[in-house]
Amino acid sequence: MIDLEKSIEKQREEVFSKHPEVKLHSVCKLNDGVIKHNKIERNYFKTVYADTDLKTAVFIPASGSGSRMFQFLYDFLSSPSQEDRGRVERFFSNLKKFAFFELLPFDLKKRIAKYDYEVEEIIEFILENEGLNLGSLPKGLIPFHRNGRFILNAFQEQVLQAIRLKEDELHFHFTINKNFEEQITTSLLSVQHLTGLNLNVTFSEQSPSTNAVAFNSNGTVVKTDEGEILTRPSGHGALLQNLNGLQEDLIFVKNIDNVQHENLSETSVDSLRYMAGLLLEFKKDMQEALKSNTPKIALAKLNQEYQFAPLDEDFEAFEEEELLAFMNRPMRVCGMVRNEGQPGGGPFWVEDEKGVSKQIVEKAQISPKGDQYNKMVQSQYFNPVLMVLNPQDLAGNKLDLDQYVDKDKYFVVDKAYKGVDIKFRENPGLWNGGMANWNTLFVEVPSESFSPVKTVLDLLDPSHLDK
């Protein structure tokens, strides 16, 4: 009980007394934190990856509900705005283009073809339990694409895309809502039958032990009707435990909804091959630098090429123990796309008491005004969560990733519970503060590598439609 009280008090202090804003030093720009390789260089790195026999995993957070994809439809049913009506009109004028249209009963399809239906009737059938029940499914189970006569959801598409990276001993790990594990497994078995491959798929769930305590605006703990302390999942940063459990040498990380139609996915697959080869080359060069007679000079030279630290970083000032610790951190290569106004995070140089380092920063972590805001809007790149990780030291020993988190880079979240405003703490984001103390490379990748499905209307974009 004492430990629980201490935890509550610590979380209360973090929510109400501290201000975990990030201080931006500057924007990561091309050749100043972000590197770009030409076609010949990219082909070389892809060859490096093709020649490796390292154990490889694909880690995909996939517990999110698909209900947000249909939010404008829910809003239309309850209290439609003019904007909602416009989206609903677009939805219905393109209804036959959605893959899930094929799941509608034949009689209903006939009525739709004759325009003999009520809008509310179709929306309710698509969303509710009496029909397709898409509003209650995880996003990964919602049909995204048609491929010939097949209808594929995001779980299936992610697997089909990834097996083009490396069929042999590729381990897929999805973090899921366990209530849907049977449906997800059945869905993936169909891919196994289709491809003839024996897929190695495992699942885990975000641990309830990582949940955050919810507070009222006055700092008191929120209780449920049953008198229990109300807790809330503490963000994707809580998935660090799940990631930490993987034993593979290389780990690809993607979001479940960032997947292209199979016929249009080569650019994304190509980017991941290139990033993996770059990571392997970076590690090899770091190993050689560590073995050299002048590791500090070698490290400074490598930094000019890979830009994992400020270009004026004084490695000569490092003590030997500090240098070893720096070089033996986990490594990651993060693909960045050109910023076209997407909501979310981006690559920045961040300043704190330890110095300046490269970080992926969310807009929610930045002051919404003044100099910090000006730096944020000047960002040239956006983070699409396309990463390749090596969670080992230079000798190949598995590292405890919890030791490389910046615990101060948590989020304070405002939500509502039964009409009452609540606040709680989210863990440092998995690819934000959760990886703050990794050796990080940012590389430019084509925008075609990023085609997320945030609303169902995104499925009308060219990257999600068959040629």
Side-chain angles (χ1 to χ4, degrees):
M1 187 66 181
I2 295 176
D3 288 342
L4 176 60
E5 291 176 355
K6 285 183 177 179
S7 176
I8 291 173
E9 195 53 45
K10 183 174 185 292
Q11 290 185 54
R12 181 185 286 113
E13 180 184 4
E14 289 174 329
V15 170
F16 292 98
S17 301
K18 296 183 178 180
H19 303 282
E21 277 185 359
V22 168
K23 183 179 180 183
L24 303 182
H25 178 271
S26 58
V27 174
C28 282
K29 302 176 182 177
L30 188 61
N31 300 320
D32 182 15
V34 179
I35 51 182
K36 182 178 180 179
H37 293 103
N38 60 38
K39 186 175 180 179
I40 294 174
E41 292 168 326
R42 286 171 62 97
N43 286 338
Y44 168 74
F45 292 125
K46 285 188 288 183
T47 301
V48 172
Y49 171 65
D51 290 342
T52 185
D53 58 358
L54 294 177
K55 293 181 180 179
T56 305
V58 180
F59 180 85
I60 300 179
S63 62
S65 169
S67 59
R68 293 180 187 176
M69 285 178 58
F70 304 100
Q71 189 59 52
F72 69 92
L73 295 178
Y74 285 113
D75 292 341
F76 177 82
L77 292 177
S78 58
S79 54
S81 66
Q82 193 60 42
E83 186 177 16
D84 293 329
R85 290 190 181 97
R87 290 171 177 165
V88 168
E89 289 169 16
R90 186 178 176 214
F91 177 80
F92 274 89
S93 65
N94 291 280
L95 191 55
K96 294 180 181 179
K97 293 181 181 179
F98 295 111
F100 54 77
F101 178 80
E102 301 301 333
L103 301 177
L104 297 177
F106 180 69
D107 288 346
L108 192 53
K109 289 180 185 175
K110 284 176 62 177
R111 289 173 51 205
I112 290 171
K114 296 177 180 179
Y115 298 95
D116 178 23
Y117 62 86
E118 297 290 333
V119 169
E120 291 82 357
E121 172 197 10
I122 303 299
I123 293 176
E124 288 173 357
F125 189 89
I126 289 171
L127 299 181
E128 303 300 335
N129 189 48
E130 294 75 15
L132 301 183
N133 199 30
L134 297 189
S136 299
L137 294 178
K139 184 183 285 190
L141 281 177
I142 294 171
F144 271 21
H145 303 140
R146 287 188 185 94
N147 196 332
R149 300 191 60 167
F150 296 102
I151 296 175
L152 300 170
N153 62 44
F155 281 105
Q156 296 167 323
E157 290 275 37
Q158 290 286 4
V159 169
L160 287 170
Q161 196 172 106
I163 58 178
R164 293 164 60 186
L165 289 167
K166 191 181 188 73
E167 289 184 13
D168 186 35
E169 296 185 7
L170 188 63
H171 173 203
F172 295 92
H173 186 85
F174 296 94
T175 64
I176 63 169
N177 180 335
K178 284 285 189 177
N179 293 329
F180 295 92
E181 182 171 358
E182 185 175 346
Q183 286 176 259
I184 296 167
T185 300
T186 301
S187 168
L188 292 175
L189 277 174
S190 66
V191 173
Q192 185 165 299
H193 298 323
L194 184 67
T195 61
L197 297 173
N198 186 21
L199 301 176
N200 177 16
V201 181
T202 58
F203 305 112
S204 64
E205 196 170 24
Q206 185 169 314
S207 173
S209 67
T210 64
N211 285 2
V213 174
F215 298 95
N216 289 303
S217 56
N218 62 7
T220 59
V221 174
V222 180
K223 298 289 185 70
T224 66
D225 292 340
E226 292 75 29
E228 301 291 330
I229 293 173
L230 179 69
T231 64
R232 284 290 179 262
S234 57
H236 57 67
L239 297 178
L240 187 71
Q241 283 188 11
N242 309 62
L243 179 65
N244 212 8
L246 300 184
Q247 300 302 314
E248 280 76 15
D249 308 298
L250 281 178
I251 303 173
F252 294 93
V253 179
K254 292 179 67 182
N255 276 336
I256 186 67
D257 66 353
N258 181 25
V259 63
Q260 301 76 34
H261 190 285
E262 178 69 8
N263 293 338
L264 299 167
S265 61
E266 182 57 31
T267 298
S268 180
V269 174
D270 195 64
S271 294
L272 288 171
R273 294 188 190 111
Y274 147 62
M275 291 164 57
L278 175 62
L279 179 60
L280 294 172
E281 191 76 1
F282 175 49
K283 184 167 187 175
K284 179 174 73 77
D285 288 345
M286 287 285 273
Q287 290 167 331
E288 292 176 357
L290 185 60
K291 293 176 185 176
S292 74
N293 295 326
T294 54
K296 295 178 181 180
I297 294 174
L299 190 61
K301 184 177 180 181
L302 278 186
N303 191 39
Q304 298 301 309
E305 179 180 354
Y306 291 106
Q307 301 174 33
F308 48 85
L311 293 177
D312 59 355
E313 182 73 70
D314 183 11
F315 292 107
E316 290 292 340
F318 282 35
E319 299 290 340
E320 183 176 352
E321 185 176 339
E322 183 183 9
L323 183 72
L324 286 172
F326 180 89
M327 297 182 75
N328 277 297
R329 302 194 296 181
M331 298 178 172
R332 61 175 177 161
V333 173
C334 307
M336 295 290 160
V337 297
R338 285 284 177 171
N339 188 355
E340 297 173 351
Q342 302 97 327
F348 293 90
W349 294 106
V350 170
E351 186 176 356
D352 58 26
E353 67 278 358
K354 293 178 285 188
V356 176
S357 62
K358 290 170 67 171
Q359 306 290 340
I360 295 172
V361 181
E362 303 293 327
K363 290 183 173 68
Q365 296 177 275
I366 303 170
S367 175
K369 57 185 178 181
D371 174 64
Q372 292 291 289
Y373 181 78
N374 288 333
K375 287 176 180 174
M376 182 196 74
V377 299
Q378 293 169 16
S379 177
Q380 298 177 355
Y381 290 94
F382 174 81
N383 166 43
V385 189
L386 202 65
M387 301 190 295
V388 188
L389 318 178
N390 176 235
Q392 302 168 334
D393 64 18
L394 294 180
N397 301 306
K398 174 76 169 66
L399 295 169
D400 178 7
L401 303 183
D402 192 56
Q403 302 301 310
Y404 299 89
V405 177
D406 185 341
K407 308 284 187 184
D408 291 331
K409 297 300 187 292
Y410 59 89
F411 298 83
V412 176
V413 179
D414 295 290
K415 296 284 186 181
Y417 174 72
K418 294 189 174 182
V420 176
D421 292 336
I422 63 171
K423 290 177 175 285
F424 57 93
R425 172 199 185 279
E426 282 193 355
N427 282 0
L430 182 60
W431 39 83
N432 311 115
M435 297 180 176
N437 296 316
W438 291 44
N439 283 328
T440 296
L441 307 186
F442 293 150
V443 297
E444 182 177 315
V445 295
S447 58
E448 291 84 359
S449 303
F450 183 56
S451 54
V453 180
K454 301 305 179 187
T455 87
V456 66
L457 297 179
D458 289 332
L459 291 172
L460 300 174
D461 292 346
S463 58
H464 295 291
L465 299 174
D466 199 355
K467 291 181 179 178

